Amino acid sequence: MTESVIGEDQVAPGSPPVAVERFAEVTDAILGAITSVIDGKPEAARSALICLLAEGHLLIEDVPGVGKTMLARALAASIDAAVRRIQFTPDLLPGDVTGVSAFNPIDREFEFKPGAVFANIVIADEINRSSPKTQSALLEAMEERQVTVDGHTHLVPHPFLVVATQNPLEMEGTYALPEAQRDRFTMRISMGYPDARAEALMLRQRETVNPLESVRPVVTTHEVAELIVAARHIHVAPAIEEYTVALAQATRAHPDLKLGASPRATLQLVRAAKVAAALEGRSFVIPDDITGLLHAVFAHRLIATRAAGGANHGEAAVAGALDQIAASARVPLASRR
C-alpha cells in the first residue's frame, strides 16, 4: 500500500471524519485477509485486530483443532511483519523465549542471542503446557515491551503482539496461568466449533490448498503503527471514563467474586473500546463499546468465590456476575464532546 494512513501529528481528539474513514478502510482489508482463512469466525478476527491496535495481547482458549493457531497465523500473514512461533512444552526453558548471553571466543566477550520473543507477532502455542517459570518469561516483554538478560535491557520490536493459545485446564499436561500473567492479556476469547456449512467448506478447500498460502500482507508495520496512533486519539468523554471505572469497581465489591478487575484491566478496556469505535467508523467511544468488550476483557482476570463457583462452575459464576454488573451500572445517556 502506498497511501499514508494517519500520522501522530495529524490526529487530535475529535479527529476529522476522513481519518476515521481511512482507519476503517485499512482495517477492513486486514479483516478480509483474516476471514479468508478463518471462515465463519468474524468476531474472533475482530478481537485479534483490536488487541493488535490497542497494544495489548490476546489469549485464545479452546479445545485442540478448532483454529486457534490458524487465527494467529492469519493475522500475522496479513501484516508485513516479523513473526515467530513458540511451541510451549514442559521442557521449554525461559532462555528459549527471551534469549541468552553466550560467550564469543573470537571477541572474548559475552554477546546477547535474541530469543523467539523478538518479533512483531509472537505466537505462543499451547502456552499452558510449559512450567510456570517459563510462562513468566513473557511477563516483562508483554508489559514493558523489553527483555532484561544479565542486567542488560533489550527492546522488542514495535508493534508487538503476543497471541497465546491455551487448552482447557481439565486436559492432561496443562498448568494454570498465574493471575499476574492472565492480567497481561487484554482479551480472552474462545473459537468454538465451526457451523456445518463452514466445516464442509473447509473439507473441500483444504484438500487441495492451504488457505494461508494465498494470504498476502495488506499493511506494513509502519502503517500498523499509524493505526495504533490513530486509535489512541479516539475521544473518550469523562462520563464514559466514569462508567468504565464504575464497572471495574463493581467487580471488586461483588459478593460472588473474590478477585476483581485490576486498574490495568480498566485501562485496557478503554483502549480496546477506542479501537472498537474506530472500527465502526466513529471518532468517539459510546457505552456499547465498553459493554460489548466487558466479558472478553474482564472475565479471565476475575476469580469467583468458592461458594459461588464451586469446583467446576467458576466461569459461569464470573459471567453471571459481569451480567449483573452491566445491568445494574448507570449508563451515561449522552455526553458532550
Side-chain angles (χ1 to χ4, degrees):
M1 302 179 66
T2 58
E3 183 178 349
S4 176
V5 186
I6 306 164
E8 176 113 39
D9 58 345
Q10 297 174 294
V11 185
S15 49
V18 64
V20 176
E21 291 171 1
R22 179 60 180 157
F23 188 102
E25 177 187 339
V26 177
T27 53
D28 282 348
I30 299 174
L31 290 173
I34 298 173
T35 54
S36 69
V37 177
I38 306 295
D39 188 46
K41 300 293 180 183
E43 283 304 312
R46 183 174 180 272
S47 296
L49 184 58
I50 287 175
C51 283
L52 173 65
L53 300 182
E55 297 185 282
H57 306 287
L58 178 64
L59 178 62
I60 309 174
E61 179 179 312
D62 218 319
V63 297
V66 294
K68 302 187 300 293
T69 305
M70 185 68 76
L71 172 63
R73 287 189 174 277
L75 174 63
S78 68
I79 299 169
D80 188 14
V83 181
R84 300 287 293 274
R85 176 181 175 273
I86 310 172
Q87 178 63 55
F88 279 72
T89 57
D91 59 348
L92 187 73
L93 298 176
D96 298 328
V97 177
T98 60
V100 296
S101 292
F103 184 72
N104 186 330
I106 298 176
D107 297 332
R108 303 184 65 83
E109 61 181 18
F110 284 89
E111 60 182 33
F112 178 64
K113 301 291 186 182
V117 77
F118 287 88
N120 296 112
I121 297 180
V122 177
I123 303 172
D125 218 356
E126 296 185 303
I127 189 173
N128 61 335
R129 288 200 179 278
S130 66
S131 68
K133 182 177 181 180
T134 301
Q135 291 175 9
S136 66
L138 281 172
L139 290 179
E140 183 183 11
M142 293 175 68
E143 179 65 18
E144 302 178 33
R145 315 276 164 157
Q146 65 182 32
V147 168
T148 303
V149 177
D150 293 340
H152 296 283
T153 299
H154 309 273
L155 298 179
V156 299
H158 178 75
F160 178 69
L161 170 72
V162 173
V163 180
T165 70
Q166 174 176 265
N167 295 327
L169 290 179
E170 59 268 19
M171 291 194 158
E172 293 185 9
T174 59
Y175 300 84
L177 294 182
E179 291 84 353
Q181 185 161 357
R182 291 203 305 271
D183 198 41
R184 259 64 170 194
F185 286 101
T186 300
M187 298 171 65
R188 182 192 64 182
I189 64 172
S190 294
M191 297 291 293
Y193 290 108
D195 57 33
R197 183 197 64 81
E199 194 164 4
L201 181 63
M202 179 189 69
L203 291 177
R204 289 194 299 271
Q205 289 181 338
R206 300 191 184 182
E207 280 297 309
T208 56
V209 65
N210 183 348
L212 275 174
E213 296 176 356
S214 62
V215 177
R216 296 292 179 265
V218 296
V219 291
T220 65
T221 53
H222 175 71
E223 289 170 317
V224 170
E226 290 178 329
L227 293 174
I228 290 171
V229 169
R232 289 180 196 155
H233 287 80
I234 295 297
H235 180 66
V236 183
I240 299 294
E241 294 174 340
E242 293 166 5
Y243 175 61
T244 307
V245 170
L247 292 172
Q249 291 187 332
T251 66
R252 302 163 195 162
H254 197 282
D256 291 343
L257 301 175
K258 67 177 181 180
L259 179 64
S262 66
R264 180 189 288 118
T266 312
L267 177 62
Q268 292 185 344
L269 178 56
V270 171
R271 287 178 175 173
K274 287 183 176 184
V275 178
L279 291 176
E280 295 295 325
R282 283 181 279 104
S283 61
F284 55 91
V285 172
I286 62 175
D288 285 349
D289 296 324
I290 300 293
T291 54
L293 294 166
L294 187 64
H295 281 263
V297 176
F298 274 10
H300 62 288
R301 310 167 192 267
L302 309 180
I303 299 179
T305 61
R306 186 177 297 274
N312 300 310
H313 302 288
E315 292 289 337
V318 167
L322 285 175
D323 287 338
Q324 292 173 15
I325 290 169
S328 61
R330 181 178 178 275
V331 180
L333 299 179
S335 59
R336 288 179 296 176
R337 298 176 51 226

